[in-house]
Amino acid sequence: MPRGVAPRQPARTGRQDKVRIARPRTAPQPQPKQSGGRGARAEAAAPSSRKASVSKTPAAAKASKPGKGFNPIAPERVNEILKRLNALYPDATCALTHASAWELLVATILSAQSTDVNVNRVTPGLFRKYPTVQAFAALTPEQLEPDVRSTGFFRNKSKSIVGAAKKLVAEFGGEVPNDMGTLLSLPGVARKTANVVLGTWFKKAEGVVVDTHVHRISRRLELTTHDEPQKIEQDLIKIIPRDHWILFSHQVIWHGRKLCFARKPKCVDCALEDICHAGDKTWSTVDMHKNAR
Ligand code: SF4
């Protein structure tokens, strides 16, 4: 994550500007809902001053009201989510180290079922050893396997990388194409990888990257009810403005790394808390929807 874009942390003093929702002195304070489990109970007991620091605008208030007829993909709610993600992660970008479209393609293939940190440990040495697409194309998958072993699924990944390099050299002059159809014709390249390369390197918004974080958080925020990445992407494309497709994925991926973990998300510190009804929240001031997970 780039420096200076960490989500704002509530002050220890509890004195944060624009944090508290104005209520009459006599009004009852919101009771955090518990999602069960010891950790959740401990977080539920956290003082309200720890609540994430986003002021409540009229749009936010409307977006956070579930009630009857609640529409999770209402434009005002989606806009509020985008607005808060922009405030949290204004400069979010791809965490995979790369210096060319080819390096990004290789890094993205290697990142399947692995972490970006792990991939970034492997790729500098890998690209020093094989500095060009042609150098990869001259290999057999078996020769590449030891170099990518630590990223997991190394046999399939080696096959994909060498296969993609051979095809690029044979048919595209060693250049990574900048259109979805051609990228998808490369071995081991599906929509997620193609979207990463198109969005991050070529700045082309052809779709939305759906990785494990985007999958999980889109479901928690009820932006989709689907489980298959392709269907999730189609849902997101319909409700997110096209000029936000690239940034949205990066922001959600960062949110998944920083707070919205698969297990025990840090809802108490989350700026989306009052508009998130996820069924597996660890701390909540709003209704939780059991299927939103
Ligand atoms: S589940 Fe928790 S951490 Fe994730 S978006 Fe909702 S409130 Fe934030």
Side-chain angles (χ1 to χ4, degrees):
M1 181 166 186
R3 287 182 182 185
V5 294
R8 268 190 290 170
Q9 298 295 310
R12 287 179 191 281
T13 60
R15 286 185 193 160
Q16 301 160 69
D17 291 341
K18 302 177 185 174
V19 173
R20 291 162 191 257
I21 302 159
R23 287 189 179 85
R25 275 176 184 276
T26 52
Q29 294 302 304
Q31 293 303 307
K33 295 174 195 298
Q34 297 177 15
S35 65
R38 218 187 315 165
R41 275 195 296 280
E43 291 195 338
S48 60
S49 61
R50 290 184 61 203
K51 179 96 173 48
S53 55
V54 168
S55 62
K56 206 161 193 178
T57 61
K62 203 173 170 190
S64 70
K65 257 186 199 153
K68 234 186 168 183
F70 169 66
N71 176 9
I73 56 168
E76 60 269 24
R77 181 172 185 270
V78 175
N79 286 340
E80 187 61 29
I81 290 170
L82 298 182
K83 198 175 103 185
R84 294 190 191 190
L85 287 174
N86 284 344
L88 288 169
Y89 313 106
D91 305 313
T93 186
C94 181
L96 293 168
T97 310
H98 62 278
S100 67
W102 167 246
E103 290 189 4
L104 181 57
L105 182 68
V106 172
T108 310
I109 291 173
L110 291 177
S111 71
Q113 308 289 322
S114 186
T115 63
D116 291 348
V117 174
N118 200 14
V119 173
N120 288 341
R121 255 189 236 124
V122 168
T123 47
L126 185 66
F127 296 135
R128 265 197 305 276
K129 192 169 176 185
Y130 307 111
T132 61
V133 185
Q134 286 77 7
F136 279 91
L139 298 173
T140 63
E142 292 72 26
Q143 286 173 307
L144 184 61
E145 283 174 7
D147 296 294
V148 299
R149 190 181 188 103
S150 64
T151 66
F153 299 94
F154 62 94
R155 289 200 181 88
N156 278 343
K157 290 178 182 178
S158 297
K159 214 183 281 176
S160 297
I161 291 168
V162 171
K166 286 185 191 298
K167 184 157 178 151
L168 288 179
V169 169
E171 297 178 26
F172 303 102
E175 296 293 320
V176 175
N178 67 353
D179 71 278
M180 178 65 83
T182 317
L183 276 170
L184 291 178
S185 74
L186 299 175
V189 176
R191 278 195 73 88
K192 189 198 91 173
T193 302
N195 274 325
V196 169
V197 173
L198 288 172
T200 300
W201 185 260
F202 293 109
K203 312 293 177 211
K204 279 178 84 173
E206 294 285 313
V208 177
V209 175
V210 178
D211 75 339
T212 181
H213 298 293
V214 177
H215 181 151
R216 178 178 72 255
I217 296 170
S218 297
R219 284 190 57 96
R220 279 178 172 163
L221 291 173
E222 299 172 270
L223 302 178
T224 184
T225 55
H226 285 116
D227 242 336
E228 306 83 2
Q230 291 225 13
K231 290 184 179 170
I232 294 172
E233 186 187 356
Q234 288 312 308
D235 284 345
L236 295 176
I237 279 172
K238 282 182 204 137
I239 57 172
I240 295 168
R242 188 170 191 143
D243 63 2
H244 223 89
W245 288 357
I246 299 171
L247 188 58
F248 174 80
S249 315
H250 292 318
Q251 291 172 329
V252 172
I253 290 167
W254 280 113
H255 195 56
R257 289 195 189 116
K258 290 282 161 192
L259 290 171
C260 195
F261 309 131
R263 282 190 201 169
K264 295 191 181 173
K266 293 182 82 177
C267 305
V268 72
D269 290 331
C270 178
L272 300 168
E273 190 283 315
D274 65 322
I275 54 172
C276 172
H277 304 276
D280 55 352
K281 283 173 82 174
T282 51
W283 194 85
S284 191
T285 58
V286 294
D287 287 346
M288 287 156 64
H289 302 165
K290 65 177 178 4
N291 292 330
R293 57 199 302 173

